Amino acid sequence: MNIIIVDERTNKTKTVAFNGKTVKDVLQTLKINQETVLVVRNNEVLTSNENLNDKDKIELLSVISGG
Amino acid sequence: MNCIHCSEKAVIELQHGALCKNHFLSHFEDRVFTTINRYKMLGPDDLICVATSGGKDSLTVLYLTQKYIKKHKYKNAAVFALAVDEGIENYREKTLQDLTKFCTEHNVPLTIVKSKDTFNKTLDETYQTITEKKNKKPCHVCGVWRRYLLNKTAKEMGATKIVTGHNLDDEAQAIMMNIFKANTSLAGRLGPVSGIKENEHFTSRVKPLYLCPEKEVRLYALLKGFQVHFAECPYSKEGYRHHIQEMLNNFEEQYKGTKQGIVRSFLAILPLLKEAQKEEKIINTCTLCGEATSKEICNACAMKEELMT
């Protein structure tokens, strides 16, 4: 399936194709540590086992401050 | 995944189970207020200076300090926010905008002090000297400047406490940095209430978010609707801390509870570190500025002179 990713750090949007089902799967595909981001879909914070659907748009919010 | 206390959808998985928005907010606030109580961080007559940057940690701790005072009906206590502008272009002005907006909305007096007014240069202006001529990291200079200006300004404004937004991740990183560099004297200055000796030149520094993981602070700020724009300091990746942070996050992802374990182990030995250093450190006043130091000239003045040569 394809997921649209909006990255708060870079302020960029990209589409990622992956074979998994969940938030955890997509973070593993992107090689992003779960400790470093919050994942939000439609203004709702998602836990790692939440299932994603094709063409879902998710936002990655950085946990780590930039200072 | 649903909340362990109700049927609502969970927003976070903690070691003891998943929590929905409302139960997470209560859980987070309870932990902060319990930390304040356990370590006697705030009193009914305190004038509280909250060290702020406009990031998630400082806005959260500012909000919860105000809430704690209202909850306990501390009528003689007051809170003000203090920020240091180090002079880092395209970074600090963004976080200060968020901070100014927050303070206006929450009716908190805000003071901003500029490093340049005391040290004659912004961090940007002195970067080349720091890195090329003096072979130092900008984070080292920035840290010394910030601590100096916070302590000095808070004292001048009559504060009896300085509240900082240091969270569990910050503390775990600092503990490991000190261990890796064998800085036992610096380690003794850590802890939920900072400082080894009571001294008229120091205002007690307290950390209400001490036991809150950084991820939970970000979630709290998000769920409360605090406006926090992600802004990255251009120098942050040059610091030693950045590498420790990555290492600890990799451990935490694999072994849940790593950061809690580091901080709780440290808390068990902290009284011994503080006791040992009580004997060692003699506090003088800096011959140049009059601020407290263990040497003849304080770090901030020594650095100011060094960077001018």
Side-chain angles (χ1 to χ4, degrees):
Chain A
M1 76 172 107
N2 290 318
I3 301 292
I4 301 154
I5 312 274
V6 183
D7 188 342
E8 182 191 39
R9 285 180 89 97
T10 57
N11 202 21
K12 285 183 180 162
T13 302
K14 63 180 176 185
T15 302
V16 174
F18 85 118
N19 296 321
K21 287 181 181 171
T22 64
V23 167
K24 189 178 179 180
D25 295 335
V26 80
L27 292 180
Q28 276 175 351
T29 303
L30 294 167
K31 294 189 171 59
I32 292 174
N33 186 320
Q34 286 183 58
E35 291 302 307
T36 63
V37 289
L38 294 177
V39 180
V40 176
R41 178 179 60 192
N42 299 329
N43 294 321
E44 205 174 69
V45 182
L46 304 179
T47 50
S48 65
N49 70 341
E50 190 78 37
N51 282 331
L52 296 172
N53 305 306
D54 190 31
K55 297 191 178 66
D56 265 357
K57 186 176 184 179
I58 59 172
E59 196 178 354
L60 303 181
L61 302 183
S62 178
V63 162
I64 298 166
S65 300
Chain B
M1 187 181 291
N2 290 338
C3 177
I4 55 168
H5 299 302
C6 66
S7 57
E8 290 292 313
K9 206 160 167 287
V11 292
I12 193 165
E13 302 158 72
L14 303 176
Q15 275 187 297
H16 65 271
L19 296 177
C20 66
K21 177 181 174 179
N22 287 339
H23 281 110
F24 168 73
L25 291 174
S26 303
H27 159 83
F28 186 90
E29 291 183 6
D30 282 350
R31 184 163 45 195
V32 173
F33 294 161
T34 303
T35 305
I36 293 173
N37 290 337
R38 183 184 300 158
Y39 295 103
K40 299 182 176 62
M41 290 181 173
L42 303 175
D45 300 316
D46 272 329
L47 175 55
I48 303 159
C49 167
V50 182
T52 48
S53 64
K56 66 181 190 311
D57 304 299
S58 63
L59 296 190
T60 298
V61 85
L62 178 56
Y63 174 81
L64 288 176
T65 301
Q66 268 203 319
K67 188 163 183 174
Y68 180 89
I69 283 169
K70 281 180 192 157
K71 186 181 171 192
H72 287 77
K73 299 185 172 62
Y74 284 174
K75 286 180 183 154
N76 293 328
V79 177
F80 68 91
L82 174 61
V84 175
D85 181 355
E86 315 88 344
I88 304 172
E89 213 177 328
N90 295 323
Y91 168 62
R92 185 53 76 207
E93 65 265 32
K94 290 179 188 168
T95 67
L96 289 179
Q97 273 172 12
D98 287 343
L99 175 62
T100 305
K101 184 171 178 283
F102 185 91
C103 287
T104 306
E105 284 171 1
H106 291 82
N107 203 23
V108 181
L110 168 65
T111 299
I112 300 173
V113 288
K114 290 178 183 287
S115 297
K116 189 167 185 170
D117 293 342
T118 299
F119 299 107
N120 304 327
K121 285 181 179 175
T122 64
L123 199 66
D124 285 344
E125 286 165 354
T126 197
Y127 177 77
Q128 207 174 357
T129 313
I130 294 168
T131 55
E132 290 175 16
K133 292 185 186 164
K134 303 297 175 187
N135 200 25
K136 286 186 182 348
K137 299 286 185 193
C139 300
H140 174 68
V141 175
C142 186
V144 171
W145 284 5
R146 290 178 64 78
R147 276 191 297 277
Y148 178 87
L149 290 171
L150 284 174
N151 194 58
K152 185 171 181 283
T153 313
K155 195 173 63 179
E156 284 168 359
M157 294 179 76
T160 53
K161 295 281 168 56
I162 298 176
V163 166
T164 68
H166 289 99
N167 58 47
L168 182 94
D169 291 47
D170 296 325
E171 190 75 356
Q173 290 155 19
I175 292 164
M176 295 312 292
M177 285 162 72
N178 287 329
I179 288 175
F180 283 7
K181 293 194 168 186
N183 271 332
T184 47
S185 61
L186 284 180
R189 293 183 202 167
L190 296 174
V193 178
S194 292
I196 295 164
K197 282 193 167 183
E198 284 194 14
N199 184 288
E200 59 177 307
H201 293 288
F202 284 122
T203 308
S204 179
R205 295 161 75 108
V206 299
K207 304 170 186 169
L209 307 183
Y210 192 81
L211 297 173
C212 301
E214 186 159 28
K215 190 168 184 173
E216 291 183 36
V217 182
R218 179 66 169 103
L219 180 58
Y220 183 85
L222 177 71
L223 297 177
K224 293 297 286 184
F226 301 157
Q227 185 176 309
V228 181
H229 288 111
F230 180 79
E232 188 160 39
C233 173
Y235 308 129
S236 65
K237 287 197 168 59
E238 295 183 33
Y240 186 54
R241 179 181 287 269
H242 174 71
H243 301 289
I244 301 284
Q245 182 183 54
E246 273 196 350
M247 180 191 76
L248 291 183
N249 278 333
N250 289 337
F251 259 84
E252 185 73 34
E253 194 180 35
Q254 269 197 292
Y255 309 105
K256 291 284 171 216
T258 295
K259 295 171 198 169
Q260 289 273 0
I262 291 169
V263 171
R264 291 194 184 281
S265 301
F266 177 74
L267 281 173
I269 60 165
L270 185 59
L272 298 173
L273 283 171
K274 286 194 185 285
E275 192 56 39
Q277 285 163 22
K278 256 184 186 172
E279 311 298 322
E280 291 172 14
K281 289 274 175 185
I282 298 164
I283 297 177
N284 302 314
T285 50
C286 173
T287 51
L288 295 178
C289 72
E291 288 297 304
T293 177
S294 57
K295 304 166 195 162
E296 195 182 328
I297 296 173
C298 73
N299 279 343
C301 287
M303 198 169 278
K304 183 179 175 181
E305 291 205 330
E306 194 184 346
L307 293 175
M308 287 195 327
T309 56

